[in-house]
mmCIF file of all heavy atoms in Angstrom:
data_model
loop_
_atom_site.group_PDB
_atom_site.id
_atom_site.type_symbol
_atom_site.label_atom_id
_atom_site.label_comp_id
_atom_site.label_asym_id
_atom_site.label_seq_id
_atom_site.Cartn_x
_atom_site.Cartn_y
_atom_site.Cartn_z
ATOM 1 N N PRO A 353 11.244 -23.229 -19.435
ATOM 2 C CA PRO A 353 11.129 -23.142 -18.030
ATOM 3 C C PRO A 353 12.156 -23.983 -17.235
ATOM 4 O O PRO A 353 12.642 -23.525 -16.172
ATOM 5 C CB PRO A 353 9.701 -23.699 -17.715
ATOM 6 C CG PRO A 353 8.952 -23.446 -18.996
ATOM 7 C CD PRO A 353 9.903 -23.672 -20.100
ATOM 8 N N ALA A 354 12.517 -25.140 -17.805
ATOM 9 C CA ALA A 354 13.455 -26.032 -16.991
ATOM 10 C C ALA A 354 14.853 -25.321 -16.925
ATOM 11 O O ALA A 354 15.603 -25.667 -15.998
ATOM 12 C CB ALA A 354 13.579 -27.370 -17.760
ATOM 13 N N ARG A 355 15.178 -24.391 -17.844
ATOM 14 C CA ARG A 355 16.502 -23.692 -17.673
ATOM 15 C C ARG A 355 16.469 -22.664 -16.623
ATOM 16 O O ARG A 355 17.506 -22.240 -16.090
ATOM 17 C CB ARG A 355 16.837 -23.046 -19.009
ATOM 18 C CG ARG A 355 17.103 -23.937 -20.152
ATOM 19 C CD ARG A 355 18.474 -24.653 -20.096
ATOM 20 N NE ARG A 355 19.521 -23.696 -19.916
ATOM 21 C CZ ARG A 355 20.239 -23.185 -20.993
ATOM 22 N NH1 ARG A 355 19.782 -23.389 -22.256
ATOM 23 N NH2 ARG A 355 21.260 -22.396 -20.785
ATOM 24 N N LEU A 356 15.299 -22.139 -16.281
ATOM 25 C CA LEU A 356 15.117 -21.034 -15.341
ATOM 26 C C LEU A 356 14.614 -21.421 -13.997
ATOM 27 O O LEU A 356 14.857 -20.700 -12.966
ATOM 28 C CB LEU A 356 14.096 -19.943 -15.932
ATOM 29 C CG LEU A 356 14.640 -19.233 -17.158
ATOM 30 C CD1 LEU A 356 13.441 -18.418 -17.785
ATOM 31 C CD2 LEU A 356 15.803 -18.313 -16.877
ATOM 32 N N PHE A 357 13.848 -22.560 -13.884
ATOM 33 C CA PHE A 357 13.222 -22.881 -12.613
ATOM 34 C C PHE A 357 13.405 -24.417 -12.356
ATOM 35 O O PHE A 357 13.660 -25.135 -13.301
ATOM 36 C CB PHE A 357 11.749 -22.576 -12.660
ATOM 37 C CG PHE A 357 11.382 -21.179 -13.189
ATOM 38 C CD1 PHE A 357 10.998 -20.956 -14.489
ATOM 39 C CD2 PHE A 357 11.524 -20.115 -12.338
ATOM 40 C CE1 PHE A 357 10.702 -19.740 -15.013
ATOM 41 C CE2 PHE A 357 11.175 -18.883 -12.892
ATOM 42 C CZ PHE A 357 10.809 -18.708 -14.188
ATOM 43 N N ILE A 358 13.224 -24.785 -11.138
ATOM 44 C CA ILE A 358 13.148 -26.262 -10.801
ATOM 45 C C ILE A 358 11.678 -26.550 -10.544
ATOM 46 O O ILE A 358 10.877 -25.589 -10.207
ATOM 47 C CB ILE A 358 13.960 -26.527 -9.569
ATOM 48 C CG1 ILE A 358 13.537 -25.764 -8.345
ATOM 49 C CG2 ILE A 358 15.476 -26.339 -9.856
ATOM 50 C CD1 ILE A 358 14.285 -26.161 -7.070
ATOM 51 N N ASP A 359 11.339 -27.754 -10.717
ATOM 52 C CA ASP A 359 9.961 -28.175 -10.501
ATOM 53 C C ASP A 359 9.686 -28.629 -9.076
ATOM 54 O O ASP A 359 10.679 -28.690 -8.244
ATOM 55 C CB ASP A 359 9.437 -29.165 -11.531
ATOM 56 C CG ASP A 359 10.276 -30.440 -11.517
ATOM 57 O OD1 ASP A 359 11.020 -30.590 -10.529
ATOM 58 O OD2 ASP A 359 10.188 -31.181 -12.428
ATOM 59 N N ALA A 360 8.499 -29.064 -8.720
ATOM 60 C CA ALA A 360 8.139 -29.498 -7.358
ATOM 61 C C ALA A 360 8.984 -30.740 -6.964
ATOM 62 O O ALA A 360 9.532 -30.794 -5.833
ATOM 63 C CB ALA A 360 6.714 -29.884 -7.244
ATOM 64 N N GLU A 361 9.141 -31.639 -7.907
ATOM 65 C CA GLU A 361 9.870 -32.848 -7.601
ATOM 66 C C GLU A 361 11.385 -32.564 -7.237
ATOM 67 O O GLU A 361 12.046 -33.052 -6.265
ATOM 68 C CB GLU A 361 9.886 -33.883 -8.807
ATOM 69 C CG GLU A 361 10.561 -35.129 -8.500
ATOM 70 C CD GLU A 361 10.446 -36.061 -9.613
ATOM 71 O OE1 GLU A 361 9.735 -35.723 -10.680
ATOM 72 O OE2 GLU A 361 11.098 -37.141 -9.610
ATOM 73 N N ALA A 362 11.991 -31.599 -8.043
ATOM 74 C CA ALA A 362 13.410 -31.194 -7.795
ATOM 75 C C ALA A 362 13.520 -30.449 -6.457
ATOM 76 O O ALA A 362 14.527 -30.615 -5.791
ATOM 77 C CB ALA A 362 13.909 -30.356 -8.888
ATOM 78 N N LEU A 363 12.495 -29.697 -6.102
ATOM 79 C CA LEU A 363 12.533 -28.995 -4.903
ATOM 80 C C LEU A 363 12.628 -29.988 -3.675
ATOM 81 O O LEU A 363 13.301 -29.772 -2.802
ATOM 82 C CB LEU A 363 11.384 -27.985 -4.768
ATOM 83 C CG LEU A 363 11.322 -27.110 -3.532
ATOM 84 C CD1 LEU A 363 10.751 -25.779 -3.805
ATOM 85 C CD2 LEU A 363 10.411 -27.769 -2.424
ATOM 86 N N PHE A 364 11.706 -30.912 -3.694
ATOM 87 C CA PHE A 364 11.668 -31.824 -2.557
ATOM 88 C C PHE A 364 12.819 -32.736 -2.593
ATOM 89 O O PHE A 364 13.317 -33.150 -1.466
ATOM 90 C CB PHE A 364 10.366 -32.664 -2.619
ATOM 91 C CG PHE A 364 9.077 -31.916 -2.296
ATOM 92 C CD1 PHE A 364 8.236 -31.551 -3.185
ATOM 93 C CD2 PHE A 364 8.918 -31.555 -0.905
ATOM 94 C CE1 PHE A 364 7.075 -30.801 -2.840
ATOM 95 C CE2 PHE A 364 7.764 -30.880 -0.543
ATOM 96 C CZ PHE A 364 6.862 -30.473 -1.512
ATOM 97 N N THR A 365 13.373 -33.017 -3.785
ATOM 98 C CA THR A 365 14.691 -33.814 -3.808
ATOM 99 C C THR A 365 15.766 -33.079 -3.130
ATOM 100 O O THR A 365 16.643 -33.612 -2.246
ATOM 101 C CB THR A 365 14.960 -34.253 -5.169
ATOM 102 O OG1 THR A 365 13.914 -34.950 -5.869
ATOM 103 C CG2 THR A 365 16.259 -35.018 -5.330
ATOM 104 N N ALA A 366 15.888 -31.779 -3.492
ATOM 105 C CA ALA A 366 16.983 -30.880 -2.930
ATOM 106 C C ALA A 366 16.749 -30.764 -1.393
ATOM 107 O O ALA A 366 17.795 -30.636 -0.656
ATOM 108 C CB ALA A 366 17.006 -29.555 -3.543
ATOM 109 N N ALA A 367 15.465 -30.802 -0.922
ATOM 110 C CA ALA A 367 15.222 -30.594 0.512
ATOM 111 C C ALA A 367 15.427 -31.851 1.293
ATOM 112 O O ALA A 367 15.638 -31.726 2.564
ATOM 113 C CB ALA A 367 13.796 -30.074 0.678
ATOM 114 N N GLN A 368 15.487 -33.008 0.646
ATOM 115 C CA GLN A 368 15.622 -34.209 1.439
ATOM 116 C C GLN A 368 16.839 -34.397 2.320
ATOM 117 O O GLN A 368 16.876 -35.073 3.288
ATOM 118 C CB GLN A 368 15.632 -35.448 0.428
ATOM 119 C CG GLN A 368 14.212 -35.705 -0.001
ATOM 120 C CD GLN A 368 14.246 -36.965 -1.010
ATOM 121 O OE1 GLN A 368 15.258 -37.485 -1.331
ATOM 122 N NE2 GLN A 368 13.048 -37.452 -1.273
ATOM 123 N N ARG A 369 17.981 -33.688 1.969
ATOM 124 C CA ARG A 369 19.187 -33.804 2.779
ATOM 125 C C ARG A 369 19.178 -32.998 4.023
ATOM 126 O O ARG A 369 20.034 -33.078 4.868
ATOM 127 C CB ARG A 369 20.431 -33.453 1.951
ATOM 128 C CG ARG A 369 20.527 -31.973 1.509
ATOM 129 C CD ARG A 369 21.790 -31.871 0.756
ATOM 130 N NE ARG A 369 22.031 -30.389 0.365
ATOM 131 C CZ ARG A 369 21.568 -29.782 -0.693
ATOM 132 N NH1 ARG A 369 20.991 -30.486 -1.616
ATOM 133 N NH2 ARG A 369 21.935 -28.556 -0.920
ATOM 134 N N PHE A 370 18.145 -32.229 4.197
ATOM 135 C CA PHE A 370 18.022 -31.378 5.405
ATOM 136 C C PHE A 370 16.964 -31.961 6.402
ATOM 137 O O PHE A 370 16.017 -32.708 6.005
ATOM 138 C CB PHE A 370 17.629 -29.918 5.026
ATOM 139 C CG PHE A 370 18.535 -29.246 4.129
ATOM 140 C CD1 PHE A 370 18.254 -29.204 2.718
ATOM 141 C CD2 PHE A 370 19.711 -28.723 4.622
ATOM 142 C CE1 PHE A 370 19.178 -28.631 1.920
ATOM 143 C CE2 PHE A 370 20.647 -28.095 3.799
ATOM 144 C CZ PHE A 370 20.360 -28.056 2.381
ATOM 145 N N ALA A 371 17.102 -31.590 7.664
ATOM 146 C CA ALA A 371 16.062 -31.904 8.595
ATOM 147 C C ALA A 371 14.840 -31.053 8.231
ATOM 148 O O ALA A 371 14.964 -29.867 7.870
ATOM 149 C CB ALA A 371 16.455 -31.573 10.015
ATOM 150 N N ARG A 372 13.620 -31.734 8.186
ATOM 151 C CA ARG A 372 12.444 -30.996 7.639
ATOM 152 C C ARG A 372 11.178 -31.123 8.624
ATOM 153 O O ARG A 372 10.950 -32.268 9.141
ATOM 154 C CB ARG A 372 12.013 -31.552 6.375
ATOM 155 C CG ARG A 372 13.114 -31.513 5.341
ATOM 156 C CD ARG A 372 12.797 -32.096 4.036
ATOM 157 N NE ARG A 372 12.232 -33.398 4.038
ATOM 158 C CZ ARG A 372 12.877 -34.503 4.140
ATOM 159 N NH1 ARG A 372 14.216 -34.478 4.424
ATOM 160 N NH2 ARG A 372 12.269 -35.704 4.084
ATOM 161 N N VAL A 373 10.636 -30.067 8.934
ATOM 162 C CA VAL A 373 9.387 -30.030 9.712
ATOM 163 C C VAL A 373 8.272 -29.560 8.806
ATOM 164 O O VAL A 373 8.429 -28.522 8.070
ATOM 165 C CB VAL A 373 9.433 -29.068 10.939
ATOM 166 C CG1 VAL A 373 8.073 -28.954 11.540
ATOM 167 C CG2 VAL A 373 10.548 -29.531 11.871
ATOM 168 N N VAL A 374 7.180 -30.319 8.535
ATOM 169 C CA VAL A 374 6.209 -30.001 7.691
ATOM 170 C C VAL A 374 4.967 -29.546 8.428
ATOM 171 O O VAL A 374 4.361 -30.281 9.268
ATOM 172 C CB VAL A 374 5.836 -31.230 6.834
ATOM 173 C CG1 VAL A 374 4.682 -30.904 5.852
ATOM 174 C CG2 VAL A 374 7.084 -31.671 6.002
#
Side-chain angles (χ1 to χ4, degrees):
R355 295 285 304 274
L356 293 169
F357 314 99
I358 61 175
D359 57 15
E361 183 178 353
L363 182 144
F364 286 109
T365 300
Q368 280 182 354
R369 66 179 186 269
F370 301 100
R372 305 181 307 286
V373 175
V374 179

